[in-house]
Amino acid sequence: YEPFGYTLTRPGRFTDGVLYLAPEPAEPFVDVIEALIEAFPDYPPYDGAHDMIVPHATVAVSEDDAFLSRIAVALEPRLPVRCRAEAAAMVERGSDFRWSLRREYPLGAT
């Protein structure tokens, strides 16, 4: 896969209190994630807890709906954000619930 451009266009939410920004187009992310799942079947995203791949950039996690709404409203005037994907990262959550980089896979590398 080659590096690709995308735009973070709008905030969205998952039902478990995650506020995120959605990338457009989403398809290149889905393609890369599916390829990584095929290459590393023992390491499915989110331990296989979700059937659907929803590309996103997590902004905040909270049980406080009003707090997440304030953040989403504050983000709106700063959108869209233009970006470029140049690598896929494998991250893992430790026993302290913090995410850490396990390995990075540059896009376009042969």
Side-chain angles (χ1 to χ4, degrees):
Y1 293 91
E2 293 299 317
F4 58 91
Y6 64 97
T7 304
L8 297 171
T9 58
R10 62 177 174 76
R13 287 202 209 171
F14 295 123
T15 57
D16 61 353
V18 174
L19 173 68
Y20 65 88
L21 293 176
E24 290 185 14
E27 293 80 14
F29 288 99
V30 172
D31 292 344
V32 169
I33 292 166
E34 287 176 343
L36 288 169
I37 291 169
E38 187 175 320
F40 302 99
D42 293 338
Y43 301 98
Y46 305 103
D47 291 326
H50 306 286
D51 293 331
M52 181 187 290
I53 297 170
V54 179
H56 65 282
T58 299
V59 174
V61 180
S62 177
E63 294 178 7
D64 185 339
D65 191 56
F67 174 68
L68 294 177
S69 293
R70 287 192 305 275
I71 294 172
V73 167
L75 285 171
E76 289 284 351
R78 293 170 171 83
L79 299 175
V81 176
R82 286 169 182 62
C83 306
R84 184 161 177 80
E86 296 184 352
M90 182 183 290
V91 296
E92 63 183 338
R93 188 166 66 179
S95 59
D96 62 356
F97 295 101
R98 292 181 159 214
W99 291 99
S100 61
L101 180 64
R102 183 168 180 165
R103 185 158 179 200
E104 192 168 273
Y105 301 90
L107 298 177
T110 55

